[in-house]
Amino acid sequence: MTRFIIGRAGLLALAWLVASVLIFATLRILPGDVAQVIGGTQASPAQVEALREQLGLNRPLFAQYVDWIGGVLRFDLGHSVVTGTEISSELAEKAEVTIPLTIMSLAVVLLVALPLGVFAAYRNSTTLGQLVSASSVLASAIPVVWAGLLGTLVLSSWLGWLPSQGFPQDGWERPFQAFRSLVLPALTIGLIEGAILFRLVRSATLRALDADHVRTAMSQGNSRLRALLTQGLPGVGLSIISMLGLQAAALLVGAVVVEQLFSLPGLGTMLVSDVGERDLPKVQSTLLVLTSVILVMGALVDVVHRIIDPRLRAEGEE
Amino acid sequence: MSESNPQPTYTKRKRSKTPIVIGVIIIVGLIAAVAAYFALTRPTEGGDAKKEIAVGLVLEPTSLDIRNDAGVATGQVLIDNVYQGLVGIEPGSIADIVPVLATKMPEVSADGLEYTFTLRSGVTFHSGAELTADDVVASLSGALTADAVGFDAKVEQIDADTVKVVLGEPNSRLLWELAGSAGVILEGGSTDGLQNSANGTGPFEFTRWKQGDSITLDRFADYWGEPAIVDRATFRFFPEGRAAVNALKDGDIDVHTALLSPLRAEFEGNANFEMVRADSADVFTLAYNSARAPFDDPRVRKALSMAINGEALVASQNGDAVQLGSPITEGEPGYVDLTDVNAYDPEAARALLAEAGQSNLSLTITSPNFYDTAALDMVTSQLAEIGVSAKVKPVEFPTWLNDVYSNHDFDLSYVDHAEARDLGNYANPGYYFGYDNPEVQRLYAESIASTDAGAEAKLLEDAARIIAEDAPAKWLFNYTPTNVISTKVSGFPSVNTNARVSLAGVSID
């Protein structure tokens, strides 16, 4: 097990390094630079050039990369080129919106996908089961923007239950307000992503119902439901855990769209405007942090998988 | 698993209650947590007697550095409210200049080289420091440079409350520059830390910038002039038009400036809001790259201009626009109605193109991607009618700056020139227009050197006529954005709100 974890950690470090190079390099392909944006349509070419010099944009790319990654390894994400604010403190501020939003949407995803997925598989032959499956196909095909507008129309404009945009100025100091303002966005991405996970849960459950050990359990006198719950679902859980890692990444992408739509000051909104301003140090640090989170989650899922699943553990300890 | 295997032996499993118990605990816990949350944190309402106003804007400043940030968004929020200059723009006008931190308009020497300002006394910065002549000298010396404003000026202190600006040559733009971001007076002239903070002398002091969301200003208690009426003003930013509409309807903002014209219908007949059109200096400009063939042939440029139906374009903006034939808008000096020059005439346009030997033109229009495309769609279809095929290439703004503005690599460009008094761009052959007419340059230089406002306006007008004939660009329309204002709000400025939104005289019930 230890060897396995060390190996995973090594792989993680390698993947992280490759990711950092990719992030750095691909951002440099974008045309236009921040000096130009700061100078705008008023600045003379000489002024823009001076600004480039001052911001260190004229230095060789390799040196810029080494500086950046060196800083990151010392937990210094650097400063925004445009506003001069510390990137880490801004990330923390924006994360106050995005992380609860992601967790809430993940909760929606699970609340939708797990019970309905198992139900649809368990009652696969009934009309209701088929209906649930069909509506999930429909839901997963809805664009986030449209779902958001629909949600706003019904829950906010007609019923007046939820605010349709914005996040309280003072953040979580008024938790009720903050929570309320995230419900609609979380439902919007949660339901759509949930529909995707639903299909996975359903097919995994169907396979489980058909699996030998479940049938054995049934032949031992357990009801079909009981056999499914006690013997089938633990296996389903494993594949769902690995799927959840991917799902979390998808939720972050969904957050970019949904934050714009609901005017939430989160990481997604920040990334969009930073790219628009070519504040590359901030964009690359933000992306690297997000990538790290996803990579670490992936590795954790692997490890958890191994701990839970006796078959994998047996292989590893030969 | 063959049938011949011996029967396995097993004992019946005991029914474990654990999963059910855990499930119930989790659900009850969750419900309790949510209920506690809602119960404990119910917002207190009604107890707050503070007068607050929230204003929605489309663009967020990239930085608060008033001197060095190019976008108009910074000035829109901070000039007049937080920062002030010796002079400013008269409320309700686009280009009329009035004294602010100076007690009166400056005395100008006969040769037009020396401007003497008397400073207002008892003015304090939001930091608490008193405004001194030193602050003025330091601020203006750093800002009035050829690089920043196109001319150099020496700024001297005469005595404790008198400052003199000395020019090398007469320059009629001086007061205009002093009324804008170059003229703001900073404490000690410093710009340190002002990228994300602000310290001025205005009726509001900067409180907080929550990036991606809002900027908050509070009434400044020690303001030298008539104090602001509201206690707090919040500017919120809505790049997504629909979210702004929702915020208005939720009551989260009281005013939204520059509503997207397709969203007007949302407020038609709504008794809680008023829609007000604001005059502005915004000119949506279709520029031809005059330095590049075939646009170096004036016949081609004129033909393109004649192909475009200005009236139809204005109609496409739901009324949020005024037809314009000149690079100067109505509120600025030198305006003259030139809509008849190269007016809509597709027949003549076709003939001109044939004469220039350019009957099968195929062009690209480069445009930043955040504009409403209705006008551009109309332009391309109108160009198609005279046999010119035009393709729109939407790009991000930094790309536009790089390709079009810096490298002059484009055929046609569609962009909003939001600055007032920017005719100089047509007198600068190095500008991205690539338009080079010595006569225009001479007239413009004379207008700058003129010390008489009437003569200056006349010269600008003459230059504008020549420019209109030469057609280096088509001025598609003058954008007059619609502001949606709650009926609770009174005194909201109705002119030039795309450039500055002064909240000093605004009140809310």
Side-chain angles (χ1 to χ4, degrees), chain A residues 36 41 83 94 164-165 169, chain B residues 196 211 214 250 252 405-406:
Chain A
Q36 189 99 59
T41 53
T83 63
K94 305 300 178 205
S164 58
Q165 48 67 45
Q169 278 270 295
Chain B
N196 51 37
Q211 282 171 38
S214 58
D250 288 357
D252 283 355
Y405 184 76
S406 296

Side-chain angles (χ1 to χ4, degrees), chain A residues 238-249:
Chain A
L238 281 179
S239 46
I240 290 177
I241 286 177
S242 10
M243 188 63 186
L244 272 183
L246 286 176
Q247 201 89 27

Side-chain angles (χ1 to χ4, degrees), chain B residues 364-385:
Chain B
T364 305
I365 306 176
T366 310
S367 163
N369 56 8
F370 43 68
Y371 297 126
D372 184 42
T373 54
L376 261 181
D377 293 345
M378 193 167 270
V379 165
T380 50
S381 70
Q382 287 173 354
L383 289 178
E385 274 172 36

Side-chain angles (χ1 to χ4, degrees), chain B residues 46-393:
Chain B
D48 217 357
K50 271 195 162 181
K51 293 267 188 204
E52 301 189 8
I53 186 169
V55 177
L57 302 178
V58 178
L59 288 179
E60 177 170 12
T62 46
S63 124
L64 300 188
D65 188 346
I66 190 81
R67 282 280 176 71
N68 296 315
D69 190 69
V72 286
T74 314
Q76 194 182 16
V77 172
L78 295 180
I79 294 190
D80 294 339
N81 293 321
V82 174
Y83 286 119
Q84 297 178 313
L86 294 175
V87 292
I89 303 288
E90 177 159 50
S93 87
I94 287 176
D96 298 343
I97 291 167
V98 289
V100 178
L101 292 181
T103 54
K104 55 182 193 302
M105 290 304 281
E107 286 162 28
V108 186
S109 65
D111 57 6
L113 293 181
E114 296 184 358
Y115 289 65
T116 310
F117 294 89
T118 310
L119 303 185
R120 212 171 266 288
S121 57
V123 176
T124 48
F125 286 99
H126 302 145
S127 64
E130 193 139 330
L131 171 81
T132 65
D134 284 339
D135 297 319
V136 177
V137 171
S139 298
L140 298 184
S141 299
L144 298 178
T145 64
D147 255 357
V149 296
F151 58 88
D152 281 307
K154 259 211 320 280
V155 188
E156 306 163 355
Q157 175 177 353
I158 304 298
D159 58 46
D161 55 3
T162 315
V163 166
K164 193 158 78 176
V165 178
V166 183
L167 296 167
E169 293 154 19
N171 195 314
S172 60
R173 280 186 75 84
L174 175 66
L175 288 178
W176 169 252
E177 294 294 350
L178 287 179
S181 57
V184 299
I185 306 301
L186 306 162
E187 189 180 340
S190 130
T191 55
D192 276 1
L194 294 183
Q195 280 174 306
N196 51 37
S197 180
N199 171 29
T201 55
F204 289 96
E205 60 182 319
F206 169 82
T207 309
R208 168 157 201 223
W209 179 17
K210 196 170 173 199
Q211 282 171 38
D213 184 66
S214 58
I215 289 176
T216 308
L217 309 177
D218 281 339
R219 178 168 59 187
F220 179 47
D222 295 329
Y223 182 55
W224 57 267
E226 190 75 26
I229 303 167
V230 294
D231 298 293
R232 168 169 283 192
T234 305
F235 289 92
R236 281 190 57 197
F237 308 106
F238 296 93
E240 231 283 326
R242 170 62 48 179
V245 170
N246 290 336
L248 277 169
K249 292 189 166 170
D250 288 357
D252 283 355
I253 53 176
D254 307 297
V255 179
H256 183 61
T257 64
L259 178 79
L260 283 179
S261 13
L263 296 174
R264 281 185 70 87
E266 299 275 341
F267 298 97
E268 304 278 7
N270 186 333
N272 297 325
F273 295 99
E274 206 188 341
M275 287 195 282
V276 181
R277 287 219 168 86
D279 289 343
S280 89
D282 285 36
V283 179
F284 274 84
T285 305
L286 183 71
Y288 316 136
N289 191 348
S290 295
R292 174 193 276 191
F295 315 104
D296 52 355
D297 182 341
R299 288 173 300 187
V300 174
R301 303 197 301 256
K302 286 161 90 80
L304 294 178
S305 289
M306 288 166 148
I308 292 163
N309 183 347
E311 268 173 53
L313 275 174
V314 167
S316 78
Q317 297 303 302
N318 289 322
D320 282 354
V322 179
Q323 213 187 324
L324 185 72
S326 154
I328 299 174
T329 61
E330 204 168 341
E332 304 168 72
Y335 169 76
V336 53
D337 185 353
L338 297 172
T339 41
D340 288 343
V341 182
N342 294 324
Y344 179 55
D345 188 350
E347 279 307 315
R350 252 179 250 126
L352 261 180
L353 277 186
E355 194 189 312
Q358 298 289 351
S359 299
N360 284 311
L361 270 183
S362 171
L363 316 166
T364 305
I365 306 176
T366 310
S367 163
N369 56 8
F370 43 68
Y371 297 126
D372 184 42
T373 54
L376 261 181
D377 293 345
M378 193 167 270
V379 165
T380 50
S381 70
Q382 287 173 354
L383 289 178
E385 274 172 36
I386 61 158
V388 172
S389 93
K391 186 175 83 225
V392 177
K393 181 177 155 201

Side-chain angles (χ1 to χ4, degrees), chain B residues 410-422:
Chain B
F410 71 106
D411 293 336
L412 270 55
S413 151
Y414 173 81
V415 73
D416 174 16
H417 278 261
E419 296 81 16
R421 306 208 52 169
D422 54 1

